[in-house]
Amino acid sequence: MPFAQSEMKKSIYQMINTIVPMLILWVIAYLILPYTVMGAILLSIVAAGFVVRTFIIFHDCTHGSFFKNKKANDYVGFVTGVLTSFPYEKWKREHMIHHASSSNLDKRGIGDIWVMTVEEYISATPWSRFCYRAYRQPIVMFGLGPLYLVLVSNRFNRKDARKKERLNTYATNLGLAALLVGLALLTNIPSVLIIHGTTMFVAGALGIWLFFIQHTFEDSYFENESEWDYVKAAVEGSSYYELPIVLQWVTGNIGFHHVHHLAPRIPNYHLADAHQQTPPLQRATTITLKTSLESLRYKLYDTSQKSFVTFKDVKKRVRTQKYKRKVPHYL
């Protein structure tokens, strides 16, 4: 594919216009904190946008698409992983699994948002149903989610992790600890919590939102293993998130998620061109900032209608005996 070629100059330039501003914003935030807490917090929020963009560089490195050289991808991936609080090898493996099983109903659970089908939800235990409803609440997903991601999920290896992955996670944790301790010694712990904490929380919430919206829209594609198709999963199970040019830049073109899923080796700075110059890709579901908010309503996937539905929809269907079962009070 002509777009699946990294360009050294573009990659280096992207690192300069992303990581340097992020570091400068952090320095200024720490300097002005004694004089204006609100000003420092606002700068930290702006820095969160650059953390998201830095994560896109990290993300491309895990796919081996940011540089042609594997060692360069691994090195930059590790450094950007420390800056964004993500262990390179761990996330790389889990993300590869996500790409290989996205929209596959029989292979859910690693590297994706928790999705239950209508049938699974109705037959689930009250406790499982409660946990799922809580998980799908915005306050939990985008409020507690970033804390869990940064403080828990990214800090520990999976049980089946191999030695290289485990060592990389340990090294990332040490690098992150060194960064935070160094900042605390140069300033103080409250300053680190205010500035670094705000940045990572906001960046984490934005990241989860992007991942959520890229696969959660009304007519998203999901199939069982026997019917699952890689191309359909990429183009029909991933959205084109049409963002204003500034937000498109900040998010590293990840809104062209259908293109990325179809060809993961395309670096982020070529995704827009691939979309615009490949007419079939333009048929992917387009979501805007306004319409993306509607996805918050969608909680369960209905395999009979091939679409996401709300909890209210399911409750109505059960009451009309579409599913021949008494309506539990906790539906």
Side-chain angles (χ1 to χ4, degrees):
M1 180 172 284
F3 302 103
Q5 298 292 331
S6 63
E7 297 182 39
M8 178 68 76
K9 289 184 179 180
K10 287 188 177 181
S11 294
I12 292 177
Y13 180 64
Q14 188 171 64
M15 289 176 64
I16 293 173
N17 68 26
T18 301
I19 298 175
V20 172
M22 178 182 69
L23 297 177
I24 291 175
L25 285 168
W26 272 337
V27 170
I28 297 175
Y30 278 106
L31 290 176
I32 69 172
L33 183 60
Y35 309 100
T36 168
V37 175
M38 185 54 65
I41 290 176
L42 288 175
L43 284 180
S44 300
I45 292 174
V46 175
F50 286 92
V51 170
V52 171
R53 188 167 162 83
T54 300
F55 177 81
I56 297 302
I57 294 175
F58 164 87
H59 167 262
D60 278 9
C61 288
T62 64
H63 283 290
S65 64
F66 200 64
F67 294 108
K68 293 179 181 178
N69 183 276
K70 181 181 182 301
K71 289 186 177 180
N73 281 309
D74 291 345
Y75 176 75
V76 173
F78 173 75
V79 173
T80 52
V82 172
L83 291 174
T84 58
S85 302
F86 278 80
Y88 179 71
E89 293 293 343
K90 178 179 186 293
W91 198 83
K92 177 181 178 180
R93 179 168 73 100
E94 293 178 359
H95 193 59
M96 293 304 103
I97 293 174
H98 165 69
H99 270 264
S101 60
S102 179
S103 298
N104 190 323
L105 291 172
D106 294 323
K107 294 184 178 180
R108 287 166 287 168
I110 297 180
D112 52 19
I113 297 292
W114 186 12
V115 175
M116 289 183 77
T117 65
V118 171
E119 294 81 2
E120 289 169 344
Y121 179 76
I122 291 176
S123 62
T125 65
W127 174 246
S128 295
R129 207 178 275 124
F130 169 79
C131 290
Y132 185 74
R133 290 183 73 100
Y135 174 89
R136 301 290 294 201
Q137 292 301 313
I139 189 66
V140 174
M141 187 174 290
F142 308 112
L144 298 181
L147 298 177
Y148 176 78
L149 187 65
V150 173
L151 300 177
V152 182
S153 178
N154 285 351
R155 307 281 66 85
F156 299 96
N157 289 299
R158 297 179 66 88
K159 292 182 179 180
D160 60 345
R162 295 183 178 180
K163 183 178 180 180
K164 181 181 179 181
E165 182 178 327
R166 291 181 181 279
L167 292 177
N168 180 264
T169 300
Y170 300 151
T172 301
N173 290 343
L174 287 174
L176 182 58
L179 173 64
L180 296 177
V181 171
L183 289 172
L185 291 176
L186 288 172
T187 56
N188 52 64
I189 294 177
S191 294
V192 175
L193 291 175
I194 291 173
I195 295 174
H196 209 78
T198 297
T199 298
M200 290 304 163
F201 177 80
V202 174
L206 290 173
I208 292 173
W209 168 255
L210 286 170
F211 198 81
F212 169 79
I213 200 62
Q214 287 158 355
H215 298 287
T216 307
F217 47 95
E218 187 173 13
D219 59 347
S220 184
Y221 172 89
F222 279 89
E223 283 289 356
N224 291 109
E225 172 70 15
S226 59
E227 302 294 329
W228 184 82
D229 181 83
Y230 178 83
V231 175
K232 286 186 177 181
V235 181
E236 298 177 21
S238 303
S239 67
Y240 163 37
Y241 199 12
E242 189 176 25
L243 296 169
I245 191 65
V246 173
L247 292 181
Q248 182 180 317
W249 184 87
V250 168
T251 58
N253 294 314
I254 201 62
F256 297 95
H257 208 60
H258 58 301
V259 181
H260 169 64
H261 260 263
L262 184 62
R265 292 302 295 263
I266 297 179
N268 72 85
Y269 44 74
H270 287 327
L271 290 174
D273 289 338
H275 170 81
Q276 293 162 4
Q277 297 178 36
T278 312
L281 292 177
Q282 296 168 19
R283 293 198 291 268
T285 300
T286 300
I287 298 175
T288 64
L289 274 178
K290 182 179 180 180
T291 59
S292 66
L293 296 176
E294 297 176 5
S295 288
L296 292 172
R297 300 169 51 244
Y298 301 130
K299 310 294 185 180
L300 299 159
Y301 192 77
D302 189 333
T303 55
S304 63
Q305 294 190 4
K306 305 295 183 183
S307 66
F308 272 100
V309 295
T310 67
F311 286 132
K312 188 176 181 180
D313 290 333
V314 174
K315 192 171 184 177
K316 286 181 179 179
R317 292 179 196 181
V318 175
R319 283 180 171 170
T320 57
Q321 296 184 345
K322 179 178 179 64
Y323 298 95
K324 299 178 179 179
R325 189 167 180 162
K326 183 180 178 181
V327 187
H329 70 279
Y330 37 72
L331 265 178

